Structures are given as C-alpha cells and as structure tokens.
Amino acid sequence: MNWYRLMKKTVLAVALCLISQTAQAGCSHAPEDGPLDTQICSLSGCEDVRVQRTCSTTEMVFTEYSNGWAFVERLRSPWAIEVWKGDRELTPTETEEIMCRNLPDNSPCFRKDPNNIDPANFDTAQDSFEGLCLDVGSGGCTERFLPFGDRSIGLCEEDCTFDNPVRVRDMNATLYDVTCQGDHIGPNGQTMRVLFKAGKDSLSLINFPYGTRVVPCN
C-alpha cells in the first residue's frame, strides 16, 4: 500500500477516534435500514446513499454515508473539505466535481459559497443573523440546516435567543448569553454562554449543543 495513503487513512482514523472521545455532542448514528436520503454525484455518475453517522467538534464535522462515502469539513480557517470513497481521499480536482444534495429538498450536503457572505468581514456583534443557517450535521427531528431569526433560532423542541453580546478583544468574535425555552426545560429555561466566531473562511458557534458551523441558507 502507498505509504502516503496509509498515513492519510491513519490520520482520519485518529481524528474520528478523538471526535468520539472528546466532543461534547459526540456522534449520532442513523438507523442502519434508514432511507436513501442523499445523492452524491461524481465524474463516474450519481449514487443514492444514506447518512450512517455524523460526528462534530469545534474543529471539524465528519459525515459517513453508505457505499463508502465520507466527508470531513474543517471548521477553522483555512476552511477545507476532504472527500473519501472507501480508503481513498479524492484529489482536489475530483472533489471540485462532487455534487452532493439531499433528495427531498435539494439542499447540499456541504456548502461554501463566498458570494453569499464574507466571513472575514462579518461583524459578529452587529450584523443580523438573517440569511444564516446552523448546520446540525444531519436531519432528524429538524432539517439539517436551521435558519436563524435576527437573534434567535428554533431547535427540535426549543426556541433559543441570543442576548448580551460582548466583543472579544483582538478577535472577530462575540460572546452571547443564549437562553433556550421549551416544554422539557422548565419555566426559567436554560442559559448557556457561546462564542460566535468569524474566521477568514468560516463562521462558527462554539459550545453550542446543536452543531458549530454557520452557513448561508439557500
């Protein structure tokens, strides 16, 4: 076996191990007999596949599909994505040709559209969240991409609001108090402190329990 390929495969395995051990959200596994809910198209044609598991940390999101497909999205600058088929990582040219969409609503499995938003110039304290979506990694009780209101978002059985912005010195980042309310939380809701960070190529919510990556909505 090519030593470079072996090294890359080992790095991927170690990354997944670290995700499963250290991520607060950890990994979510889809039913093994779930529907073919995604279509991945490459130069060799299109395949209908299903999500098998999704793992996330503040560093990356890993999504594994049936038929040997896997995607690793690096959330920190520089933003990057790796596409794997079996034990082989696709070349950058092959990756550029990949089209990945969910069959029911045609939303892509991954997206990076710098024409919609420039993360490097996004003001995390002042700019509206309208037009942005939280990527929760895979569908379930909600769609994969959850739209923000100006300073709010609806989750499975909760509605969360972002208040009391405090800028972080020497970073394009803002701390928010997030209060979530719902039938299963209690009368006073649940409050957490999160960091909304803008990098050169990405936006992310850190320490938010339903994903970290923030992307433009379709």
Side-chain angles (χ1 to χ4, degrees), residues 1-2 4-6 8-10 12 42-44 67-72 82-95 98:
M1 177 181 288
N2 181 280
Y4 176 76
R5 184 182 301 174
L6 177 61
K8 292 286 287 185
K9 185 177 180 181
T10 302
L12 180 64
S42 64
L43 290 174
S44 59
N67 297 356
W69 288 100
F71 294 75
V72 180
E82 300 170 10
V83 179
W84 292 72
K85 176 65 169 176
D87 64 350
R88 185 179 75 87
E89 182 185 0
L90 272 60
T91 66
T93 300
E94 292 173 316
T95 300
I98 291 291

Side-chain angles (χ1 to χ4, degrees), residues 159-199:
D159 291 313
C160 301
T161 57
F162 292 69
D163 299 301
N164 304 322
V166 177
R167 291 184 183 273
V168 178
R169 185 180 302 171
D170 298 327
M171 292 176 61
N172 186 358
T174 302
L175 287 166
Y176 283 93
D177 289 329
V178 178
T179 301
C180 297
Q181 295 183 322
D183 294 338
H184 304 290
I185 296 179
N188 297 323
Q190 180 181 14
T191 300
M192 67 193 79
R193 193 73 158 163
V194 303
L195 181 70
F196 189 23
K197 183 177 182 295

Side-chain angles (χ1 to χ4, degrees), residues 61-101:
V61 173
F62 168 80
T63 306
E64 182 180 11
Y65 298 89
S66 56
N67 297 356
W69 288 100
F71 294 75
V72 180
E73 297 178 73
R74 309 288 178 180
L75 304 177
R76 300 265 177 126
S77 179
W79 185 95
I81 186 165
E82 300 170 10
V83 179
W84 292 72
K85 176 65 169 176
D87 64 350
R88 185 179 75 87
E89 182 185 0
L90 272 60
T91 66
T93 300
E94 292 173 316
T95 300
E96 286 293 327
E97 297 297 329
I98 291 291
M99 293 181 61
C100 184
R101 58 182 178 269

